[in-house]
Amino acid sequence: MGPAHKGAQHRGTAGEPEVMTSALEGTGKEGKKESSKKCSVAGSPVEGLLQPVKLSRAELYKEPTNEELNRLRETESLFHSSLLRLQVEELLKEVRLSEKKKERIDAFLRKVNQRIMRVPSTPETELTNQAWLQDGVRVPLHQVPYTVKGCFRFLPPAQVTVVGSYLLGTCIRPDINVDVALTMPREILQDKDGLNQRYFRKRALYLAHLAHHLSQDPLFGSVRFSYTNGCHLKPLLLLRPHGKDERLVTVRLHPCPPPDFFRPCRLLPSKNNVRTAWYRGQSPSGDGDPEPPTPRYNTWVLQDTTLESHAQLLSTVLGSASGLKDGVALLKVWLRQRELDKGLGGFSGFLVSMLVAFLVSTHKIHTTMSGYQVLRSTLQFLASTDLTVNGISLCFSSDPSLPALADFHQAFPVVFLDSSGHLNLCADVTASTCHQVQHEARLSMVLLDSKADDGFQLLLMTPKPMIRAFDHILHLRPLSRLQAACHRLKLWPELQDHGGDYVSAALGPLTTLLEQGLGSRLHLLAHSRPPVSEWDISQDPPKHRDSGVLTLGLLLRPEGLTSVLELGPEADQPEAADFRQFWGSRSELRRFQDGAIREAVVWEAASMAQKRLIPHQVVTHLLTLHADIPDTCIHYTGGLLDALIQGLKEASNTKGRMVVSQGGELVMVPNVEAILEDFAILGEGLVQAVEARSERWTV
């Protein structure tokens, strides 16, 4: 682009001058008169200010055009109001990529493709012989145990394919990521590479060799490693352009096998592909004990084989339906504002795109819907469907050889099958995350149905981090304590399935433990793991304990929150032993006024503020007893307003009413603090009355 010619230096918005010029040329004398009027206005004392447009009576009251009528009908049928439509359209303009940036990204992608295909090959060596790796680059994988069978050589990829949201036109700002699948040649792979992390070792070595050569190219300003959705067995390579475009885009390279290389029947949830003897460094026992299934390991292998097929499916469904694409973009914004798409186990933008494809295939969403309708229909489905109980599937085949949904429910807490019927798209999503998504969708539907003026602001524009969404928050750190929790809970099969990731292995059992202990006090328990940050290619990959803290959020029920009594079964019931085992030393026999002798747990709490913090006692006791996590590693946040309430109560010295000065006159107004104090005393009296109904049973 060169400098503009002289006639163009005083132009406004691009495209407007040409229209204005042609309009002036076609009006003759009237155009000259209009021009003279404009000149006189420009020379007036209010030069530079916008002047009101003067319309004739005919122009002011002319009939609306067909386009305007159609837009009014669309607004009436597809949106609550014209304001909501304008807000949605402006939001989509802000998060979409401009055409100029797309052109620059496309040019960068073509150069990336050329650089990748020029990376030289290497001779074949054993997987454990990594002396050929150049200095300055480390393998982006924890190779534990190190000994593994197989050979490796580097060959340029057989195919380089852009997949993901950029290709579909559903990526949103500010972080633009372009996913590129690198199909590794068949000559690199062997038949049994699905066993004992062999495929993942080759995948990591493939990236290490690429990283070394691409880091020396001046085209790239940054070449770093990261994890695919937080999975430590699946690193990826991040490429960013050099110079002023460094923040323009991040290209993520995903090595993958040929689509039909691994047989799906070997990667079913009930199959084992990580041998116990190899993982524990033992010699094969030969006693014939069955190997534990490795459903998540199998899923991570299958995910790499379906990158292209999923991109083709989404391209077919979304296609030219702009409303579906707008809906996917709005859903991604909705997830991001609530931090539901972060880290391993998050409800990612890819999952919500596949969910929209499922709703289209089941005719719950039509391709002619607007983005707002797609958002509303998807939220309605999420609010009314519990994927932990009733899984869904994009596979409509009646082939009897395919596994049933029930088989996946036995292996995974959340089930959503892809079109092949073999891959669970929600394999990494925990039950807690699924319930949190369902809870947020219900709140959003209530907000949309209320047609509140600030509904759009609350739904899509207001961040809602965990600290604002939950009553109590607790942080577990250091994360290395979860390794001891895995030993105490005997989670050897889970560790084997997760490749040694003790944080992920312990997360599900810990949340289940706390949900059982909190019982009726708890409405929702959610967790948050910060995404693992990227690292330099010359550094070792971060360890599991380096991922910060594990945060748990508790949304509590007012009913039963302040109860100090956990009532168990009668002493002669079989369930009494399980109750004692669960609560440990806190369980004791108590005799009640009706003559029943039951197991019970009584918590120490003298004031109402202490009763509101009984969940803290429950969490600390259970984690120490069952997971070997001491209270020094549990950083609990709750009841922060109690000190403020107590201070207000102490400042109140009158009951019911207080005298204040307004405009020089003394006025009697209600004393809210004193009323609150009366309610607190009443609540404490009720609790004491309940406690008086039971007494400690001594033998």
Side-chain angles (χ1 to χ4, degrees):
M1 296 177 61
H5 56 81
K6 295 181 180 180
Q9 291 179 355
H10 300 286
R11 293 180 179 178
T13 307
E16 292 180 359
E18 288 76 6
V19 177
M20 185 179 293
T21 304
S22 61
L24 290 175
E25 289 177 353
T27 55
K29 295 180 180 179
E30 295 177 2
K32 292 180 180 179
K33 292 180 181 179
E34 187 70 17
S35 177
S36 63
K37 289 181 181 179
K38 291 182 178 179
C39 292
S40 62
V41 171
S44 63
V46 290
E47 182 178 358
L49 296 178
L50 293 176
Q51 300 299 313
V53 179
K54 295 182 179 180
L55 298 176
S56 65
R57 186 177 183 84
E59 291 175 330
L60 188 62
Y61 294 101
K62 70 178 180 179
E63 296 181 355
T65 63
N66 289 333
E67 182 180 354
E68 291 172 339
L69 287 174
N70 289 334
R71 184 174 178 86
L72 289 173
R73 292 192 195 99
E74 288 179 0
T75 302
E76 184 179 1
S77 60
L78 305 183
F79 297 87
H80 286 325
S81 64
S82 298
L83 175 62
L84 179 60
R85 178 170 190 164
L86 291 173
Q87 290 172 323
V88 170
E89 290 176 350
E90 288 301 317
L91 174 62
L92 290 173
K93 288 179 184 178
E94 287 296 320
V95 299
R96 281 199 190 109
L97 264 179
S98 65
E99 291 299 325
K100 290 184 178 180
K101 289 187 176 180
K102 286 182 180 179
E103 293 175 358
R104 290 155 58 190
I105 292 174
D106 290 341
F108 179 66
L109 289 175
R110 287 190 290 268
K111 296 177 182 178
V112 169
N113 186 17
Q114 296 172 1
R115 302 303 198 277
I116 291 174
M117 300 306 294
R118 290 205 297 258
V119 175
S121 305
T122 62
E124 184 174 273
T125 60
E126 294 290 331
L127 274 176
T128 54
N129 180 13
Q130 299 172 7
W132 57 272
L133 277 175
Q134 297 85 355
D135 295 335
V137 63
R138 307 300 295 268
V139 179
L141 182 71
H142 293 293
Q143 303 180 74
V144 180
Y146 186 77
T147 303
V148 67
K149 296 180 180 179
C151 300
F152 175 77
R153 59 183 296 203
F154 180 89
L155 293 175
Q159 187 175 355
V160 179
T161 310
V162 177
V163 296
S165 58
Y166 176 77
L167 189 65
L168 301 170
T170 58
C171 62
I172 61 173
R173 299 166 55 197
D175 300 324
I176 301 301
N177 299 313
V178 180
D179 296 298
V180 177
L182 308 179
T183 304
M184 296 185 290
R186 290 180 179 270
E187 294 82 1
I188 295 177
L189 304 173
Q190 297 170 307
D191 291 338
K192 294 186 177 182
D193 278 352
L195 289 174
N196 299 340
Q197 302 182 9
R198 297 180 195 176
Y199 163 70
F200 294 117
R201 302 288 175 92
K202 292 184 177 183
R203 191 181 181 279
L205 291 172
Y206 199 88
L207 283 177
H209 185 70
L210 277 173
H212 171 73
H213 288 277
L214 296 181
S215 63
Q216 299 176 349
D217 196 305
L219 174 67
F220 306 109
S222 173
V223 179
R224 299 172 68 84
F225 288 128
S226 184
Y227 285 141
T228 305
N229 297 326
C231 177
H232 73 286
L233 286 179
K234 296 177 64 176
L236 50 84
L237 190 61
L238 306 180
L239 305 177
R240 296 186 178 92
H242 180 73
K244 63 179 182 180
D245 287 341
E246 184 175 2
R247 298 182 180 272
L248 174 66
V249 64
T250 299
V251 177
R252 306 191 295 190
L253 302 184
H254 302 259
C256 61
D260 57 346
F261 182 79
F262 291 109
R263 295 174 58 188
C265 62
R266 293 183 178 179
L267 298 170
L268 295 177
S270 58
K271 299 294 184 180
N272 173 275
N273 284 288
V274 181
R275 302 294 187 252
T276 304
W278 172 82
Y279 179 73
R280 297 189 182 183
Q282 303 170 352
S283 58
S285 60
D287 53 6
D289 291 339
E291 292 280 354
T294 54
R296 286 168 182 79
Y297 175 92
N298 301 345
T299 297
W300 293 334
V301 177
L302 276 175
Q303 286 172 350
D304 282 359
T305 66
T306 58
L307 291 177
E308 295 182 27
S309 62
H310 289 164
Q312 293 172 1
L313 171 66
L314 291 175
S315 178
T316 302
V317 173
L318 301 181
S320 58
S322 59
L324 296 182
K325 295 180 180 179
D326 292 346
V328 171
L330 292 174
L331 286 165
K332 288 183 176 181
V333 174
W334 182 82
L335 290 170
R336 180 172 294 180
Q337 294 287 31
R338 287 152 181 80
E339 298 182 353
L340 295 172
D341 58 343
K342 302 296 184 184
L344 181 63
F347 207 87
S348 63
F350 167 71
L351 282 180
V352 82
S353 301
M354 296 297 285
L355 181 59
V356 170
F358 167 79
L359 296 177
V360 171
S361 64
T362 54
H363 308 292
K364 291 182 174 64
I365 288 179
H366 196 269
T367 54
T368 59
M369 284 184 173
S370 68
Y372 170 77
Q373 285 182 310
V374 173
L375 170 69
R376 185 183 177 89
S377 299
T378 307
L379 291 179
Q380 175 63 39
F381 178 81
L382 288 172
S384 59
T385 306
D386 189 354
L387 296 181
T388 63
V389 179
N390 301 311
I392 57 178
S393 175
L394 276 165
C395 179
F396 304 103
S397 173
S398 58
D399 187 354
S401 63
L402 291 174
L405 276 174
D407 299 332
F408 286 92
H409 274 295
Q410 291 179 357
F412 303 102
V414 187
V415 176
F416 177 19
L417 303 186
D418 74 339
S419 56
S420 69
H422 291 96
L423 174 62
N424 181 17
L425 300 172
C426 289
D428 295 329
V429 180
T430 62
S432 299
T433 300
C434 183
H435 291 151
Q436 185 183 5
V437 172
Q438 187 178 22
H439 171 73
E440 291 293 342
R442 287 172 180 167
L443 295 180
S444 299
M445 286 306 302
V446 172
L447 188 63
L448 291 175
D449 292 337
S450 68
K451 300 182 181 180
D453 294 337
D454 58 347
F456 174 83
Q457 184 76 19
L458 297 174
L459 185 69
L460 296 172
M461 299 296 292
T462 305
K464 192 178 180 182
M466 180 171 285
I467 193 67
R468 297 178 61 182
F470 292 89
D471 298 316
H472 292 181
I473 301 291
L474 63 111
H475 305 283
L476 298 181
R477 61 174 182 265
L479 289 179
S480 56
R481 292 299 309 181
L482 295 181
Q483 193 168 10
C486 289
H487 289 273
R488 174 66 69 88
L489 296 170
K490 299 180 180 179
L491 301 177
W492 293 110
E494 287 78 4
L495 280 172
Q496 190 170 324
D497 188 20
H498 286 87
D501 184 0
Y502 49 82
V503 180
S504 299
L507 183 57
L510 287 182
T511 54
T512 303
L513 175 72
L514 296 182
E515 287 173 351
Q516 181 181 353
L518 292 169
S520 60
R521 290 184 173 90
L522 185 67
H523 178 69
L524 177 67
L525 186 148
H527 60 81
S528 174
R529 293 179 60 183
V532 181
S533 58
E534 58 194 53
W535 68 95
D536 191 80
I537 63 173
S538 61
Q539 298 175 345
D540 290 323
K543 298 181 179 180
H544 306 305
R545 63 172 180 266
D546 298 333
S547 57
V549 299
L550 175 62
T551 304
L552 301 178
L554 307 180
L555 190 61
L556 303 171
R557 298 180 187 272
E559 306 85 6
L561 173 60
T562 57
S563 174
V564 297
L565 181 66
E566 301 285 347
L567 190 61
E570 294 187 1
D572 56 351
Q573 295 295 323
E575 296 83 5
D578 296 333
F579 187 87
R580 288 192 297 269
Q581 190 275 334
F582 183 78
W583 291 107
S585 59
R586 296 305 299 257
S587 177
E588 57 191 16
L589 283 176
R590 280 186 168 257
R591 183 179 64 187
F592 294 82
Q593 288 183 349
D594 59 357
I597 302 174
R598 293 177 175 271
E599 293 286 346
V601 175
V602 179
W603 304 103
E604 297 84 5
S607 64
M608 183 59 66
Q610 293 176 352
K611 289 181 173 65
R612 286 192 290 266
L613 285 176
I614 286 178
H616 184 195
Q617 299 184 48
V618 176
V619 168
T620 304
H621 174 70
L622 291 178
L623 291 181
T624 304
L625 175 65
H626 293 284
D628 197 21
I629 300 177
D631 56 357
T632 56
C633 298
I634 304 171
H635 304 269
Y636 199 95
T637 303
L640 296 181
L641 293 178
D642 289 335
L644 177 62
I645 296 174
Q646 186 66 28
L648 291 174
K649 290 195 299 182
E650 292 175 355
S652 173
N653 53 11
T654 60
K655 293 291 184 181
R657 292 183 176 275
M658 61 187 301
V659 179
V660 297
S661 175
Q662 292 183 357
E665 297 181 0
L666 297 179
V667 182
M668 188 75 72
V669 298
N671 188 348
V672 179
E673 293 82 359
I675 296 173
L676 288 175
E677 182 181 10
D678 291 339
F679 273 107
I681 295 173
L682 175 62
E684 293 176 1
L686 291 174
V687 173
Q688 292 173 2
V690 173
E691 293 175 353
R693 295 173 56 192
S694 67
E695 62 180 5
R696 184 181 299 274
W697 176 261
T698 57
V699 180

